[in-house]
Amino acid sequence: MTPRFSLRTLAALAAGLAFATASQAEEVTLRIHHFLPAGAPIQAKVLEPWCQKVTKESANQIKCKIFPSMQLGGSAPQLYDQAKDGVVDMIWTIPGYTPGRFLVTELFELPFMMNTPEATSRALWEFQTKHNAAEYKEVKPLAFHMNGPGNFYTRSKPIQSLADFKGLKMRGATRQTTRMLSALGATPVGMALPAVPEALSKGVIDGALTPYEVVQSTRMHELTKFTTESDPKFNAVYAQVFVLAMNKAKYDAMSPELKKVIDANSGADLSAWIGKMIHEADAPGRKLVQQANNTIHTLPVSELQNWKKATDQLDEELVAEINKRGLNGAALLKTAKELIEKSR
């Protein structure tokens, strides 16, 4: 017997087929917001290649629009909440721009914690997802990473020892970097990176802390005359934690197939790769400093050990703060150090 279909049945089948086709052709556009200029390494070397990769692996169903320099409004410290609240779909930012909010994360920003950005970024991802997921439960983290070793840039005199910090107003990005500056003998001034060039040019600050990677975007080689870096055989004096995160509702609304693409381009490997790429971007920045004929002083291990002694109490202070939140700060610090050493 030949099956017979009513017009209503045929219409329903056609509608179902159209829906299935539309689902297969689902397109998602991710609006990515960050605080650095478009030419900064984070966009050119990380965000743009990442977008190209997810677009290709999703058969052009996932696309990106990157908005640098806070083009969608707000300030750098507001980026995390923009992702949380769905104002944007993805952000790249420094959690430490909101002091004390991501307290456990600050363990990785303590002085002399980081060995290499690549290895420490891998350890950071494992730590955050296994031991500190609660701090980021409002978003979908895609990567956590470190930047390259931080340097000290000054306008009027070089920093070669602890005594040289006296009387200097130095910019720090996060709570731990400003505390470190105070322990070293400087007067700390907290501010986000976009405000640094103007503060230097107007003499509001005498110097700043940044890695070589952002020299070009901040004109650090033009605004300062002296750079102090540390011996690479010793752990970095300081480094900062960064997060690449997605709005949870945006992720949850994706099809299972597109979620797999995002998941395949997230995690420990992505975190380590970003750390590596950002560290590689330090070399061109250092070259700019050299071409400007600025003085570069490399701190020897013997002097770095003095700096470590001067800042050791910051570990104890942060552990005590974490304890007040009902967590075991000492155990978390021990775990962080073990993961960093394991990833070396």
Side-chain angles (χ1 to χ4, degrees):
M1 177 182 290
T2 302
R4 300 176 63 184
F5 298 97
S6 67
L7 288 175
R8 181 176 296 178
T9 302
L10 290 171
L13 287 170
L17 180 61
F19 177 79
T21 303
S23 297
Q24 291 171 359
E26 173 192 7
E27 286 193 4
V28 175
T29 299
L30 300 175
R31 294 165 303 142
I32 306 174
H33 206 197
H34 69 91
F35 60 84
L36 287 178
I42 188 60
Q43 179 162 329
K45 302 292 186 181
V46 174
L47 296 178
E48 290 176 4
W50 184 88
C51 286
Q52 292 165 5
K53 192 167 185 287
V54 297
T55 296
K56 181 180 179 180
E57 292 178 9
S58 67
N60 293 317
Q61 289 180 262
I62 299 176
K63 297 178 180 178
C64 301
K65 288 185 178 180
I66 303 174
F67 297 89
S69 301
M70 301 305 299
Q71 288 178 356
L72 297 180
S75 61
Q78 295 172 325
L79 280 166
Y80 180 86
D81 283 331
Q82 289 184 356
K84 174 178 74 70
D85 298 333
V87 176
V88 299
D89 304 313
M90 281 178 59
I91 54 90
W92 173 84
T93 193
I94 297 173
Y97 274 171
T98 49
R101 182 175 182 178
F102 303 97
L103 194 63
V104 178
T105 300
E106 291 183 23
L107 290 169
F108 277 77
E109 295 184 333
L110 288 168
F112 303 102
M113 280 288 285
M114 186 180 80
N115 47 42
T116 70
E118 182 176 1
T120 305
S121 295
R122 184 177 293 279
L124 174 62
W125 172 266
E126 184 174 349
F127 179 86
Q128 297 288 60
T129 52
K130 293 183 179 179
H131 305 281
N132 193 34
E135 283 192 341
Y136 298 88
K137 64 183 179 182
E138 301 161 319
V139 296
K140 166 74 175 172
L142 304 184
F144 293 98
H145 74 91
M146 309 299 295
N147 57 2
N151 307 310
F152 299 77
Y153 304 85
T154 47
R155 298 166 67 234
S156 59
K157 69 174 185 178
I159 296 174
Q160 299 178 341
S161 67
L162 287 175
D164 295 326
F165 281 105
K166 187 175 181 180
L168 290 181
K169 293 177 291 182
M170 297 287 295
R171 171 264 180 181
T174 65
R175 206 168 66 110
Q176 290 306 319
T177 52
T178 56
R179 286 182 170 187
M180 178 191 72
L181 283 168
S182 182
L184 293 173
T187 299
V189 181
M191 67 175 66
L193 190 64
V196 171
E198 184 178 2
L200 278 170
S201 63
K202 291 184 176 180
V204 175
I205 54 177
D206 300 305
L209 280 65
T210 70
Y212 281 124
E213 164 232 335
V214 294
V215 161
Q216 183 172 3
S217 60
T218 57
R219 297 172 30 238
M220 202 65 63
H221 58 305
E222 300 172 2
L223 296 169
T224 61
K225 296 179 180 178
F226 305 95
T227 301
T228 299
E229 61 184 17
S230 54
D231 189 322
K233 295 192 294 292
F234 210 73
N235 278 12
V237 176
Y238 82 96
Q240 291 167 185
V241 172
F242 296 79
V243 60
L244 180 67
M246 188 174 178
N247 173 260
K248 286 187 75 171
K250 187 76 172 184
Y251 175 81
D252 291 341
M254 286 182 167
S255 67
E257 291 74 22
L258 294 191
K259 284 180 180 177
K260 287 179 182 177
V261 174
I262 296 296
D263 293 345
N265 290 280
S266 306
D269 288 345
L270 177 64
S271 299
W273 176 74
I274 297 176
K276 180 176 183 289
M277 297 306 294
I278 293 301
H279 192 202
E280 287 180 358
D282 282 340
R286 192 178 192 277
K287 187 174 181 180
L288 285 175
V289 173
Q290 290 175 310
Q291 290 174 341
N293 292 319
N294 292 1
T295 301
I296 298 177
H297 175 72
T298 303
L299 292 167
V301 171
S302 58
E303 181 61 26
L304 287 168
Q305 288 171 338
N306 294 332
W307 291 32
K308 187 176 187 309
K309 290 177 183 176
T311 58
D312 275 345
Q313 78 271 15
L314 299 184
D315 294 24
E316 299 172 7
E317 291 172 5
L318 182 54
V319 163
E321 287 183 273
I322 293 172
N323 289 344
K324 289 179 181 178
R325 294 194 178 180
L327 302 170
N328 189 331
L332 287 167
L333 177 58
K334 182 174 181 289
T335 297
K337 289 181 176 180
E338 288 173 348
L339 290 172
I340 291 171
E341 186 60 30
K342 185 182 77 171
S343 297
R344 184 185 292 272

